[in-house]
Amino acid sequence: MFSRSWSAPATEGSVGSPAFVAEHGLWDDARLAAAERIEAGLGDIDLVRLVWGDPHGLVRSKTLTARSFGGVLRNGMNYSPGPFLKDTACTTAVDYRGEHGTGVDEIAGLGNFVLVPDPLTFLVLPGEGARTAWVIGDEYLRDGRPHPLSSRHVLHRVLDRYAGRGLTPVLGLEVEWYLARRLDDEPGNEGNGFGLQGPAPRVAAMNAGYQFNLDAAYDTIAPVTDPLALALLGLGLPVRSMEHEMGPGQVETTFDPMSALDTADAMLFFRVFTKRWCAARGLHASFMSQPAIAGADPSGWHLNQSVLETATGRNVFSAEGLSAGLSPTSKAYAEGLQDWLRDLFLLSVPTVNGYQRLGTQHALSPTRVGLSLESRTAMLRVVGSGAGAHIENRIGEPSANPYLNIAAQLFAGLSGLDGLAGGPADGPREGSDTVPQSLREALEAFRTGRAATLLGDPLASVLAKLKESEVRRYEAWALGASPVPGQVTEWEQREYFAAF
């Protein structure tokens, strides 16, 4: 029996460019070696999900057959830049048909960029059915330059600065999120469209909550979170703990320290994998900071930070004697975090909903700008001493773009080390003793501040337009709805509960 060949010549297809990686020298020795291992094992894989994080930190993907991925791995893949230009409800916030104002010529007419898999991020996912792998891609212009709108490249640039100083950041994740029972399988698409998300999933709480770390409360989520932890460990993620937090069905997941890029990649993967894991079991996981679940306590993302001397492994944050457990170097780093707070706050708390957590009614909310020893009310908390000394920055919301949130904090800390920041490290600056209290306030600080120093003009401009679109839609809705201060609105639940 004969079968027809449907394949195009090997040089054609939706690859970015033949030998794109080699032509532009994009990989180091570790990635070249990892690519060889992947190619040798592709016979054991059916599908590969090639993903990247958009400016909001939402994962965009295409699922390739293993055969197709064999070409894409070293050639890259053509990809539409549409996700760069749309806000959290898929409203086009940057006009690609006219004067887009991004400074990126390839945006005009939605010209493709090239997405190149990073072989070091390749994971084979557990589960029945098709044998599927996951890999994160880096975004490039067609001439081989890093894409100016890429979040991951922002973090790459910051880490290059640390490497140039012989320093290595080490980070620890503490992520709070909600686990709830789905009440139906309706997709929530009634009234859905560009700029309007359909109704949020209907859910019920897992328990009554408000018994912090109660073992019996953990029992209600353990049938899901225990095997989830084991699955993550099996994929190489260094999970340290699963804990029941304060709210009904609120979970905190913590991880052992990792390198900065690994931390960002892990956060991107953890959120998507957790939502997928829970959905397969008739449950809903959300990293929205405060969902509209009765009695919900807001969730945060605490980022523990220290810096090592690359050559010796010495923690430069450690200090002899008292000194609040921190060295002068670490205090300079903290000074940088405070000095850049308002300019870059949008990157740590990028949604309307994230500011529900920062209200004064929440006693442990990190609303006060300052550095404190073991105080959970300050933005920066000093934890540990000696070799284990580190700074916990408590401002982030769990749905923040991991590359931008981490890059912002590392950039600000390094500016303190470089002596670029000013003002006292252990107290708030005049006129800014509290963090921004709304997305509008954070956006205005972002626009008038120094964010482009970190992001570059194109990404700073695009982010401002994306967030302006998001906050304008909320403000237009609020005019007719008269929302009650401190209460999560229907608009927020529709906008964020399913997607994040």
Side-chain angles (χ1 to χ4, degrees):
M1 180 179 293
F2 295 96
S3 62
R4 177 177 175 179
S5 174
W6 298 87
S7 298
T11 55
E12 298 181 6
S14 60
V15 297
S17 176
F20 187 82
V21 170
E23 179 184 353
H24 300 291
L26 302 183
W27 288 347
D28 56 18
D29 289 344
R31 287 176 170 81
L32 288 168
E36 291 180 0
R37 292 193 296 270
I38 292 168
E39 288 166 332
L42 277 180
D44 298 324
I45 299 296
D46 298 316
L47 303 171
V48 179
R49 194 168 294 189
L50 176 56
V51 313
W52 60 286
D54 73 8
H56 310 290
L58 292 171
V59 172
R60 306 295 172 177
S61 74
K62 292 190 178 184
T63 299
L64 310 175
T65 63
R67 180 187 63 81
S68 296
F69 182 74
V72 167
L73 179 59
R74 293 179 186 268
N75 299 335
M77 183 173 190
N78 291 329
Y79 213 110
S80 167
F84 283 131
L85 314 178
K86 295 181 179 292
D87 70 10
T88 47
C90 216
T91 299
T92 300
V94 180
D95 185 6
Y96 55 87
R97 296 163 298 182
E99 180 50 53
H100 49 80
T102 66
V104 183
D105 291 341
E106 295 182 17
I107 292 300
L110 288 182
N112 286 329
F113 68 89
V114 181
L115 187 63
V116 176
D118 182 344
L120 295 180
T121 68
F122 191 87
L123 292 171
V124 179
L125 303 177
E128 300 177 357
R131 300 167 298 176
T132 303
W134 149 293
V135 63
I136 299 172
D138 281 309
E139 310 96 311
Y140 291 91
L141 298 174
R142 294 191 295 272
D143 63 7
R145 289 177 295 158
H147 202 296
L149 303 184
S150 165
S151 302
R152 201 166 189 255
H153 281 303
V154 173
L155 182 54
H156 279 305
R157 292 197 300 269
V158 173
L159 294 178
D160 285 345
R161 290 187 57 197
Y162 274 85
R165 290 197 50 164
L167 299 174
T168 301
V170 175
L171 306 175
L173 286 172
E174 296 181 18
V175 188
E176 295 168 350
W177 53 282
Y178 268 89
L179 176 64
R181 291 192 297 271
R182 283 290 298 250
L183 294 180
D184 56 46
D185 291 325
E186 295 296 323
N189 60 313
E190 182 180 348
N192 198 8
F194 295 111
L196 177 64
Q197 300 297 285
R202 294 195 316 119
V203 300
M206 299 294 290
N207 52 51
Y210 292 91
Q211 288 288 346
F212 179 66
N213 284 171
L214 184 70
D215 189 62
Y218 186 79
D219 283 341
T220 67
I221 62 172
V224 178
T225 54
D226 284 357
L228 171 62
L230 294 179
L232 293 168
L233 286 170
L235 290 166
L237 275 74
V239 177
R240 184 178 65 181
S241 69
M242 290 282 188
E243 310 166 18
H244 195 285
E245 265 288 327
M246 189 67 75
Q250 187 181 34
V251 187
E252 180 175 66
T253 305
T254 71
F255 296 80
D256 290 337
M258 292 177 270
S259 71
L261 186 61
D262 283 349
T263 300
D265 288 344
M267 184 67 169
L268 191 77
F269 177 78
F270 169 62
R271 293 190 307 208
V272 169
F273 186 78
T274 297
K275 290 179 76 70
R276 176 191 183 203
W277 181 272
C278 295
R281 289 153 179 80
L283 303 167
H284 182 69
S286 181
F287 294 82
M288 176 181 176
S289 187
Q290 184 160 358
I293 295 174
D297 199 43
S299 294
W301 169 11
H302 304 166
L303 192 64
N304 296 283
Q305 310 171 43
S306 59
V307 177
L308 307 183
E309 285 183 344
T310 305
T312 65
R314 183 181 71 88
N315 181 2
V316 302
F317 282 12
S318 64
E320 299 294 333
L322 297 177
S323 185
L326 292 175
S327 66
T329 302
S330 62
K331 289 185 176 180
Y333 183 97
E335 183 177 313
L337 290 174
Q338 293 175 84
D339 185 66
W340 284 84
L341 168 71
R342 297 190 69 81
D343 302 67
L344 302 178
F345 198 82
L346 183 75
L347 306 183
S348 296
V349 189
T351 73
V352 170
N353 180 258
Y355 294 84
Q356 296 279 5
R357 171 174 170 256
L358 301 176
T360 56
Q361 72 271 26
H362 300 300
L364 296 180
S365 175
T367 55
R368 181 171 58 84
V369 180
L371 172 70
S372 297
L373 177 65
E374 291 291 0
S375 172
R376 285 179 165 85
T377 64
M379 181 185 86
L380 304 177
R381 175 177 171 237
V382 180
V383 184
S385 61
H390 60 275
I391 294 172
E392 179 189 59
N393 195 331
R394 306 180 66 254
I395 61 171
E397 66 169 309
S399 56
N401 181 316
Y403 302 103
L404 296 182
N405 182 33
I406 290 171
Q409 296 187 41
L410 294 180
F411 174 85
L414 188 60
S415 76
L417 299 184
D418 287 340
L420 300 179
D426 54 357
R429 280 149 179 77
E430 184 177 354
S432 59
D433 58 337
T434 58
V435 301
Q437 294 294 291
S438 69
L439 182 59
R440 170 61 72 189
E441 183 183 347
L443 176 57
E444 293 308 314
F446 178 85
R447 277 192 174 126
T448 59
R450 302 162 289 176
T453 310
L454 164 65
L455 301 174
D457 289 332
L459 183 52
S461 171
V462 165
L463 277 172
K465 291 177 180 180
L466 296 178
K467 290 302 162 182
E468 177 65 33
S469 176
E470 182 179 340
V471 77
R472 275 189 180 179
R473 286 190 297 102
Y474 172 72
E475 289 170 346
W477 175 89
L479 281 176
S482 301
V484 178
Q487 290 188 11
V488 178
T489 64
E490 178 193 4
W491 187 96
E492 293 168 79
Q493 190 76 352
R494 282 179 176 241
E495 188 83 4
Y496 307 118
F497 189 55
F500 287 94

